[in-house]
């Protein structure tokens, strides 16, 4: 054994303790840690001929790189849709590295991590109040979940015309309809060889991002046996709008369609008594995406593709790894590697299982309800400045706003965000909503409370004062 590795192994307790202390110190001051840095001048070291050892490397990381780690898991990081990490989820995640299981098989003499994944899927179905007509599999994020759902949808469309697309390749055009798909669904269609431009844009309801279903009816092929894929949104990124999933599902009675629902963060509406109606009908979908590194507050990278169990054969046809006898026969033995893009898989279920067990249904209900309350509080505070207007009502957890016309002489969205993010107290990102440049604040962190929103507003007010002078 290499002597440096040997030395590290001999002092394992000390190493793990040093990493724990560093992690703990970060988490203890997370709320005061900057939400942005300027990582331009990092002095990147070359690959050493003789290694530094783990403690030496930790020290180098601490001085060179740690100053540029931002508080993305903190309470005022509202850019993109970025969740935090619950204490129990961190424990599960650390242990999944320690155990280093390859989560694939549920039979034979392999490890039991896939069994825990299956149990975790059951807990998640319960959490989201979804029926057990669904199975689920962990993937890295909502992009891969959308990819996986649409890959099985593609296989289904081929099957309708007696084609096996996974085996023989894409030999047909598959119509795909959506009003406001997340960019990752377009990326998925590109990766699937269907082409991002294949999506037919469905008009939205007035002042909404949701599908106008009568317009969709007019667009659907007159040949009702023609297989089509509908990509529905359960929470668009800007205005968090929801398609009418129940009415969409009814279209299945008339048309030959597969419904894929991107509920990356909107799926968590299921945990709020006041908002769960937004998801009525999602239980009738064929495939559903939910992201866990968002509102479930587990570390990156973690998401799930839920698919109806009746589609299991299509899913195996799509992802089977059949030409490797050493990995088993996909048709005889359940193995996750035949259900998702990856063969080797991290033990992602562990951090989710830890967090679900530690905080239970009511813990997650309160996280979701608090985020929604804080988004509404933030919207009120922004309006009270007299400098901003909302571009859409706060439907769930996101505030989509822009400077009022009178402020446009003082600052643009870009100038405002530039100053705000330079302060490093709160992080927000720009977007485009119905052709207007705007700012989004997406609140999905369990630490975000009134005091944190107030701190963010102090920063907003300072920036307004500075720019409006
Ligand atoms: C609705 C929706 N779908 C998909 C994604 C892609 O998620 P990920 O970055 O986890 O792949 C996002 C990310 O914000 C999202 O909001």
């Amino acid at each position: 054994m290499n002597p440096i590795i040997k030395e590290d192994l001999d002092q394992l307790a000390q190493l793990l303790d040093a990493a724990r202390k560093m992690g703990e110190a970060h988490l203890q001051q997370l709320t005061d840690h900057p939400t942005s840095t300027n990582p331009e001048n990092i002095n990147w070291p070359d690959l050493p001929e003789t290694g530094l050892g783990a403690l030496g490397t930790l020290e180098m990381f601490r001085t060179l790189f740690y100053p540029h780690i931002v508080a993305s898991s903190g309470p005022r990081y509202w850019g993109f849709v970025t969740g935090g990490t619950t204490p129990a989820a961190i424990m599960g995640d650390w242990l999944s590295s320690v155990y280093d299981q390859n989560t694939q098989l549920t039979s034979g003499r392999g490890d039991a991590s896939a069994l825990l994944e299956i149990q975790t899927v059951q807990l998640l179905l319960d959490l989201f109040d979804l029926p057990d007509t669904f199975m689920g599999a962990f993937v890295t994020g909502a992009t891969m979940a959308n990819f996986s759902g649409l890959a099985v949808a593609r296989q289904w469309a081929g099957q309708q015309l007696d084609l096996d697309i996974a085996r023989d390749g894409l030999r047909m055009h598959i119509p795909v309809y959506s009003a406001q798909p997340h960019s990752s669904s377009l990326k998925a269609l590109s990766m699937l060889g269907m082409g991002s431009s294949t999506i037919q844009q469905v008009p939205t309801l007035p002042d909404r991002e949701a599908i106008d279903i009568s317009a969709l009816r007019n667009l659907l092929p007159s040949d009702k046996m023609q297989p089509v894929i509908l990509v529905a949104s359960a929470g668009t990124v800007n205005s968090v709008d929801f398609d009418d999933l129940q009415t969409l599902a009814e279209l299945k009675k008339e048309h030959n369609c597969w419904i894929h629902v991107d509920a990356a963060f909107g799926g968590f509406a299921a945990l709020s008594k006041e908002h769960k109606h937004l998801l009525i009908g999602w239980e009738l979908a064929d495939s559903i995406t939910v992201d866990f590194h968002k509102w479930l507050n587990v570390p990156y990278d973690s998401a799930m593709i839920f698919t109806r169990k009746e589609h299991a054969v299509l899913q195996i046809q799509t992802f089977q790894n059949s030409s490797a006898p050493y990995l088993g026969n996909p048709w005889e033995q359940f193995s996750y590697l035949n259900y998702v893009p990856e063969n080797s898989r991290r033990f992602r279920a562990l951090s989710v299982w830890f967090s679900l067990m530690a905080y239970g249904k009511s813990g997650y209900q309160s996280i979701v309800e608090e985020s929604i309350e804080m988004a509404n509080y933030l919207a009120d505070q922004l309006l009270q400045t007299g400098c901003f207007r909302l571009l859409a009502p706060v439907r769930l957890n996101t505030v989509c706003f822009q400077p009022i016309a009178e402020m446009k002489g003082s600052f643009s969205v870009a100038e405002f965000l530039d100053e705000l993010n330079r302060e490093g107290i709160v992080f927000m990102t720009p977007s485009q909503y119905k052709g207007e440049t705007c700012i989004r604040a997406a609140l999905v962190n369990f630490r975000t409370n009134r005091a944190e929103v107030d701190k963010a507003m102090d920063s907003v007010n300072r920036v307004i004062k500075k720019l409006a002078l």
Side-chain angles (χ1 to χ4, degrees):
M1 185 185 289
N2 170 285
I4 303 178
I5 300 182
K6 165 96 178 56
E7 198 184 318
D8 273 356
L9 266 185
D10 290 344
Q11 48 175 357
L12 199 55
Q14 207 187 327
L15 305 190
L16 293 181
D17 207 39
R20 182 194 63 75
K21 280 191 179 135
M22 189 164 167
E24 186 189 337
H26 178 70
L27 291 171
Q28 296 293 11
Q29 53 80 59
L30 186 60
T31 56
D32 299 321
H33 198 79
T35 53
S36 60
T37 71
N38 182 11
E40 264 169 21
N41 301 319
I42 300 178
N43 189 9
W44 294 108
D46 294 330
L47 176 68
E49 185 53 45
T50 305
L52 312 176
L55 283 177
T57 304
L58 184 74
E59 207 36 52
M60 181 182 251
F61 173 80
R62 188 200 305 275
T63 47
L64 281 188
F65 197 72
Y66 179 65
H68 300 286
I69 291 283
V70 295
S72 54
S73 66
R76 281 172 271 100
Y77 196 91
W78 301 337
F80 318 108
V81 187
T82 310
T85 48
T86 65
I90 294 173
M91 291 167 74
D93 188 67
W94 280 9
L95 289 174
S96 62
S97 291
V98 169
Y99 299 138
D100 195 21
Q101 306 289 288
N102 187 356
T103 304
Q104 299 174 340
L105 296 165
T106 56
S107 58
R109 300 220 177 110
D111 72 87
S113 57
L115 291 176
L116 190 130
E117 178 161 341
I118 290 170
Q119 291 309 309
T120 308
V121 171
Q122 291 309 310
L123 304 180
L124 289 161
L125 289 174
D126 187 0
L127 185 76
F128 294 120
D129 209 6
L130 279 169
D132 75 355
T133 41
F134 285 96
M135 57 187 175
F138 277 92
V139 287
T140 51
T143 303
M144 283 315 288
N146 285 335
F147 173 86
S148 305
L150 292 173
V152 187
R154 184 184 69 167
Q155 185 68 6
W156 163 84
Q159 183 200 47
Q160 305 303 297
L161 304 175
D162 284 332
L163 293 173
D164 183 339
I165 292 176
R167 189 189 59 199
D168 301 326
L170 187 59
R171 296 179 185 176
M172 58 187 281
H173 169 70
I174 306 169
V176 183
Y177 298 85
S178 190
Q180 203 61 54
H182 187 264
S183 52
S184 58
S185 286
L186 304 186
K187 177 170 173 168
L189 291 170
S190 313
M191 293 192 287
L192 288 164
M194 293 160 76
S196 55
S197 70
T198 202
I199 285 214
Q200 301 195 35
Q201 187 75 44
V202 183
T204 54
L205 295 168
D207 294 325
R208 297 276 304 274
E209 288 189 298
I211 291 180
D212 176 341
I213 296 189
S214 51
L216 171 63
R217 279 181 190 282
N218 294 334
L219 286 174
L220 286 173
S222 52
D223 172 4
K224 301 204 166 169
M225 289 317 291
Q226 161 77 49
V228 299
I229 299 173
L230 306 182
V231 180
S233 295
T236 54
V237 276
N238 288 318
S239 71
V240 193
D241 213 338
F242 286 68
D243 290 328
D244 176 349
L245 302 172
Q246 191 163 34
T247 312
L248 279 182
E250 273 164 23
L251 286 178
K252 279 177 158 240
K253 293 183 191 147
E254 298 162 43
H255 290 271
N256 195 13
C257 49
W258 177 288
I259 300 183
H260 173 74
V261 177
D262 183 348
F265 63 96
F268 288 84
L271 301 179
S272 153
K273 280 196 194 77
E274 256 182 67
H275 298 82
K276 62 190 297 183
H277 66 93
L278 295 167
L279 292 164
I280 291 174
W282 76 326
E283 70 283 0
L284 302 169
D286 293 284
S287 49
I288 303 175
T289 286
V290 185
D291 228 341
F292 300 145
H293 49 229
K294 293 186 163 67
W295 226 337
L296 202 70
N297 282 261
V298 301
Y300 287 102
D301 43 19
S302 182
M304 182 151 288
I305 180 63
F306 290 108
T307 39
R308 300 191 82 78
K309 286 178 181 161
E310 71 201 61
H311 297 318
V313 168
L314 292 167
Q315 193 157 345
I316 297 174
Q317 285 172 348
T318 308
F319 293 117
Q320 64 185 311
N321 193 81
S322 57
S323 52
Y326 79 104
L327 291 173
N329 181 334
W331 301 103
E332 286 172 4
Q333 182 184 14
F334 177 86
S335 179
Y336 272 113
L337 67 89
N338 297 307
Y339 285 80
V340 288
E342 302 92 353
N343 278 1
S344 296
R345 301 169 73 239
R346 179 174 168 76
F347 191 7
R348 277 193 195 93
L350 197 56
S351 65
V352 170
W353 186 84
F354 259 71
S355 204
L356 289 175
M357 286 310 206
Y359 310 117
K361 213 174 202 173
S362 63
Y364 274 101
Q365 279 162 344
S366 67
I367 291 177
V368 168
E369 277 165 2
E370 268 172 55
S371 298
I372 298 171
E373 192 189 330
M374 287 308 107
N376 282 285
Y377 177 60
L378 172 66
D380 287 347
Q381 299 300 302
L382 287 166
L383 290 175
Q384 274 184 32
T385 63
C387 299
F388 298 107
R389 72 182 191 99
L390 302 185
L391 270 73
V394 178
R395 292 199 177 88
L396 200 65
N397 63 320
T398 299
V399 187
C400 179
F401 63 102
Q402 69 173 184
I404 55 172
E406 293 82 335
M407 297 310 294
K408 283 183 182 157
S410 306
F411 54 81
S412 64
V413 162
E415 285 161 344
F416 174 77
L417 282 181
D418 212 36
E419 273 306 319
L420 187 75
N421 291 333
R422 202 194 312 274
E423 279 215 353
I425 305 291
V426 54
F427 185 74
M428 299 189 215
T429 37
S431 190
Q432 289 277 328
Y433 177 70
K434 302 230 179 246
E436 304 250 9
T437 305
C438 58
I439 304 165
R440 283 176 67 255
L443 278 62
V444 288
N445 189 296
F446 76 98
R447 294 173 187 261
T448 308
N449 57 22
R450 260 172 200 254
E452 299 302 338
V453 176
D454 289 344
K455 276 188 220 166
M457 283 307 301
D458 288 346
S459 177
V460 165
N461 284 317
R462 264 194 307 277
V463 169
I464 294 173
K465 225 174 172 178
K466 182 168 175 193
L467 295 176
L469 272 182

